[in-house]
Amino acid sequence: MHVFRLAGDGEAVCWRNIMNVQNRIKSSRIGSVLWLALSMIPLTVGCQVEVGGDNTGTNSEEVSGGGHGRACGGLAGLSCKKGYFCDYELEAMCGAFDMTGTCERIPKVCTEEYNPVCGCDGKTYGNECAANSAGVSVASRGECEPPPARDCGGLAGLACEPGEFCDYAPDAMCGAADQTGVCAPIPEGCTKEYNPVCGCDGNTYGNACMAAAAGVSVASPGECAPAPGGVCGTRGAAACEPGFFCDFAPEAACGATDLPGACAPIPEACTFEYNPVCGCDGNTYGNACAANAAGVSVASRGECAPSEVQHCGGLAGLACDPGEFCNYSLEAICGAADQTGVCETIPEACTEQYDPVCGCDDKTYSNACFAHAAGVSVALRGECPRR
């Protein structure tokens, strides 16, 4: 008798109904005529049939797709039987442009040899067998190319996909000043090696992988420095607590570029070392500690560049601003004969070097800095003459 093979479980009822009718008319006179007609019915009602030999059995064989060597894939989306996968030649480009593969049995055991391939699912496998055991054909030899980098962060707040985090380069300062990072996958496992890093969230992590696993980019190597007041000096940041000042890194340009500073404690005591710095307030300080003690971050090393000269002294008695003194050149003889000086900042710290000068107040000072610290210009080098 003819045997109908069905393509899926959903058509079992169709098959059973047809077989029941055929069995009833098999012995009738007109059976031979009706048999041919009924053999065509499954095609007209949607049953997929395959006419076999004249077997006497009445059971159907249920099949879900093609077996070994059968065509698969392509625009028709031909599938394989359970336990088989669609294997494409490399030239078939995983079935692009209606190219087909062949159904091959899924391997159950593979070697540990590392000969990476890129699967048609875009994932890298240790070898071809490993890909096939996952039911995946090989797209190309070697590891899969990484997907193109996608920007994230910045003022636009570009977000990453679930399972990714925004990874910033070290010089991106965790996205300050509209700098962007790139989306990177969050690792699922890390070593326990202790190589601490400071995360962009201000927390210390055991290593860079552990920071990434928490969805956090690395701000700097090493443990995070304590910053009791947190971030300051950038948009949206709060002011530092009393007793702290906003300390900017040199590249932050005192916050002009919107790069943040960090709240640091105001020092309570400083040395008298004279190593001048220019503060973010435009004033020159004897050293960085002296600037910080005034609640001022350092803008640059060395004295501040002179601004527009402000004259002082002379017969008009031009005065300087608070914190400044009238400095006369030696030739000006401390302002005699209507000669003027220029206003300069009073230094807050000086070295103990002994290089005596005589001040315009007729007092001897250890060096010019000490005279200036007293708000006095130098009249002449060396100790004042005795009178």
Side-chain angles (χ1 to χ4, degrees), residues 217-275:
S217 185
V218 173
S220 61
E223 297 182 359
C224 296
V231 173
C232 58
T234 188
R235 282 173 291 181
C240 295
E241 297 292 332
F244 293 84
F245 75 103
C246 196
D247 191 19
F248 292 99
E251 59 270 16
C254 296
T257 59
D258 197 33
L259 292 176
C263 291
I266 294 175
E268 297 181 358
C270 297
T271 66
F272 286 102
E273 172 194 12
Y274 188 67
N275 186 13

Side-chain angles (χ1 to χ4, degrees), residues 1-4 14-28 30-43 49 51 57-58:
M1 65 177 284
H2 294 283
V3 178
F4 294 84
C14 175
W15 159 246
R16 284 196 297 271
N17 291 339
I18 294 169
M19 288 299 296
N20 290 336
V21 174
Q22 288 178 329
N23 288 335
R24 291 178 183 179
I25 67 171
K26 183 168 62 175
S27 58
S28 67
I30 60 173
S32 59
V33 176
L34 292 178
W35 188 262
L36 180 59
L38 288 175
S39 297
M40 300 301 295
I41 288 175
L43 294 177
V49 299
V51 180
T58 60

